[in-house]
Amino acid sequence: VQIIATGGGAFMDPSLRAAVAERGTSVWLKAELPVLLERVDRRKTRPLLKTGDPKEILERLMAERYPIYAQADVVIESGEGPHQIVVDKIMTQLKHACANAGMDAPRDETPE
């Protein structure tokens, strides 16, 4: 099992979405605007957010991208809280997806 974390805009590319659909399972870690604003406030390295008001930019990006991101095979609400909660949600959904497809489920090898 390999996990590839793409940048936010990568999934907008139709050819990349097709390649992911052909070879893997896409997972969208969805977050609401307040959560995103809190996250980006901690990390000032986001190039797209350096050109104006982060809230306005994120609202525009969400309007553009969320309908495309919704095409992901698995959608996980990634709100506030420990990362392990999100990891557990992802593993649960992937195990269900694998079971429905008749595939071996991924092993949970996350460190304690």
Side-chain angles (χ1 to χ4, degrees):
V1 174
Q2 291 183 343
I3 297 171
I4 300 172
T6 64
F11 200 69
M12 297 299 290
D13 181 324
S15 62
L16 181 106
R17 283 195 310 277
V20 170
E22 181 180 323
R23 296 182 180 100
T25 301
S26 56
V27 177
W28 173 25
L29 302 178
K30 182 180 181 182
E32 298 303 325
L33 183 59
V35 173
L36 292 175
L37 284 169
E38 179 185 325
R39 289 177 183 170
V40 300
D41 190 50
R42 287 182 271 165
R43 210 185 268 171
K44 306 289 186 191
T45 59
R46 303 282 182 166
L48 287 176
L49 300 179
K50 291 182 178 186
T51 60
D53 177 43
K55 182 179 179 190
E56 290 176 10
I57 294 168
L58 283 173
E59 287 174 328
R60 179 181 51 80
L61 291 172
M62 290 170 76
E64 293 171 2
R65 294 178 178 183
Y66 276 27
I68 302 298
Y69 292 174
Q71 296 175 25
D73 298 311
V74 176
V75 178
I76 302 292
E77 293 286 340
S78 68
E80 300 171 353
H83 294 299
Q84 189 61 45
I85 292 172
V86 175
V87 171
D88 292 344
K89 289 179 184 180
I90 294 168
M91 292 303 294
T92 298
Q93 289 299 319
L94 289 177
K95 287 174 184 176
H96 285 296
C98 288
N100 289 339
M103 299 167 45
D104 290 336
R107 294 183 314 269
D108 187 353
E109 297 177 0
T110 55
E112 294 291 319

